[in-house]
């Protein structure tokens, strides 16, 4: 059950009009559309923060150990992914 909306969010008139047009094109109310946009943005921002923390942890691990994955290993793995994707895209 969604939490009741109790706090209004002030949006400037120009942005509100733009959001209103987009909401209408998607068949949603302005409030529902704006909430969906904000939720998506928050999800993306949280993901970016999490990835940044993971990258930093990996960098620190590299600095401590000096262990890394050779470029050729990474390239071979990426080529394998590309070949697999091509096979899936071409269902003969």
């Amino acid at each position: 059950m969604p939490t009741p909306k109790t706090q209004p969010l002030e949006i400037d008139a120009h942005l509100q009009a733009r959001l209103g047009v987009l909401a209408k094109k998607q068949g949603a109310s302005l409030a529902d559309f704006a909430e969906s946009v904000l939720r998506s943005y928050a999800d993306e921002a949280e993901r970016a923060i999490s990835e940044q923390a993971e990258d930093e942890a990996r960098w620190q691990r590299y600095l401590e150990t000096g262990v890394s994955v050779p470029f050729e290993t990474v390239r071979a793995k990426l080529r394998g992914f590309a070949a697999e994707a091509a096979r899936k895209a071409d269902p003969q």
Side-chain angles (χ1 to χ4, degrees):
M1 178 177 211
T3 305
K5 297 173 182 99
T6 57
Q7 236 177 1
L9 179 64
E10 291 187 32
I11 301 174
D12 75 70
H14 184 257
L15 178 57
Q16 187 169 349
R18 291 172 58 202
L19 291 171
V21 168
L22 294 169
K24 185 176 180 179
K25 287 183 179 184
Q26 293 194 2
S29 70
L30 175 58
D32 288 341
F33 181 75
E35 183 176 352
S36 173
V37 168
L38 289 170
R39 192 176 304 280
S40 293
Y41 183 86
D43 290 347
E44 178 63 25
E46 289 169 344
R47 185 191 60 74
I49 289 168
S50 175
E51 286 180 0
Q52 184 178 11
E54 185 178 331
D55 291 346
E56 181 60 30
R58 288 179 177 167
W59 176 245
Q60 289 304 316
R61 199 166 41 250
Y62 169 74
L63 292 176
E64 292 169 7
T65 66
V67 176
S68 65
V69 179
F71 172 72
E72 289 303 324
T73 302
V74 173
R75 181 166 42 186
K77 187 76 167 176
L78 291 173
R79 285 183 175 157
F81 288 148
E84 183 180 337
R87 280 192 301 276
K88 287 181 180 179
D90 188 20
Q92 290 186 17

